[in-house]
Amino acid sequence: MILASSSPRRKEILESVGADFRIVTSEADESVEDTLPHDEAVCKIAKRKCEAVLEKLKKENELHERTLILACDTVVVYAGMRIGKPESDMHASLTLGLLSDSWHSVYSGLAVYYKGKTVCRAARTDVKFRELSEAEIAAYVASGEPRGKAGSYAIQMKGAAFTERIEGEFNNVVGLPLVTLLALLREEFGIVPTEILDFTNLYSK
């Protein structure tokens, strides 16, 4: 398995379930038309990442018969507006102010290449934040955690303190919808979880 991402969160999710993989970054263009529906937008970017790594492996003669490439793109949507990673601490503060005491959605697009076939699938999770004070937002931004995070928070870290309710897959908010991925692999490629995940050695390391 090749993970076409440098995201430490995606790496940690795959490692947590004993997946055997290596990382090859795509460096693909992540821009997309604003008019595209959110699920189509994340799938389009994920497919672009997947194809970029596929071409890189072909060029380096590292594409083998059983090579599986996994790419993912995640975006936060509030009131129909896509919110990516913050460009500055001020941007992060403004984003968290918007999300305070309201619902937002997290969309992830998965693209998987295997044996000459590429398939894309999207996942959505809805998240409700409790009301955040200006002091809480300032302290959280000062911690540095919002940097590099879609939506300016990490639900699996300090951002958990903001999350009042979640509807959908938790790991989707972290950055990789694992259950959706396993369903895609089973339904599209006939790959069952035990073929790529090692549950037996998770607690013996």
Side-chain angles (χ1 to χ4, degrees):
M1 181 188 293
I2 304 291
L3 175 61
S5 173
S6 59
S7 165
R9 274 77 62 189
R10 292 175 185 139
K11 177 176 179 286
E12 289 166 3
I13 290 171
L14 288 178
E15 287 177 337
S16 71
V17 289
D20 182 17
F21 66 98
R22 68 184 180 97
I23 293 172
V24 178
T25 55
S26 70
E27 300 166 3
D29 176 22
E30 298 187 25
S31 61
V32 71
E33 308 93 298
D34 292 336
T35 54
L36 272 183
H38 307 308
D39 54 348
E40 293 182 23
V42 289
C43 276
K44 184 172 184 176
I45 296 173
K47 186 177 181 182
R48 193 181 294 157
K49 292 178 180 179
C50 189
E51 291 174 343
V53 168
L54 175 61
E55 291 306 311
K56 185 180 292 188
L57 294 178
K58 285 180 179 178
K59 186 176 180 180
E60 298 172 356
N61 200 28
E62 293 186 4
L63 183 67
H64 307 291
E65 182 184 356
R66 290 184 60 80
T67 298
L68 187 152
I69 303 171
L70 164 64
C72 185
D73 184 68
T74 301
V75 69
V76 171
V77 176
Y78 170 79
M81 176 177 59
R82 292 179 201 145
I83 302 173
K85 300 171 184 176
E87 298 175 359
S88 64
D89 285 354
M90 178 62 73
H91 186 184
S93 297
L94 292 173
T95 297
L96 292 166
L98 281 176
L99 301 184
S100 173
D101 194 28
S102 63
W103 284 91
H104 62 273
S105 299
V106 179
Y107 288 83
S108 286
L110 291 171
V112 174
Y113 167 88
Y114 186 62
K115 292 187 174 181
K117 177 182 176 182
T118 301
V119 177
C120 299
R121 186 170 297 187
R124 171 182 171 175
T125 303
D126 297 326
V127 181
K128 171 66 165 60
F129 266 20
R130 64 175 175 82
E131 186 172 359
L132 309 180
S133 68
E134 291 184 7
E136 283 180 306
I137 292 174
Y140 184 58
V141 171
S143 76
E145 188 172 285
R147 296 170 193 161
K149 312 291 193 308
S152 300
Y153 74 96
I155 195 171
Q156 77 280 18
M157 299 171 72
K158 296 182 180 73
F162 303 155
T163 308
E164 186 175 278
R165 188 174 174 185
I166 178 171
E167 294 184 359
E169 191 177 346
F170 173 80
N171 277 324
N172 182 37
V173 187
V174 181
L176 181 68
L178 185 62
V179 173
T180 302
L181 170 63
L182 295 177
L184 183 157
L185 293 177
R186 183 181 64 252
E187 294 164 10
E188 300 289 346
F189 300 102
I191 299 173
V192 297
T194 51
E195 291 184 78
I196 61 169
L197 308 182
D198 184 2
F199 296 109
T200 60
N201 294 322
L202 287 180
Y203 303 103
S204 62
K205 296 179 181 179

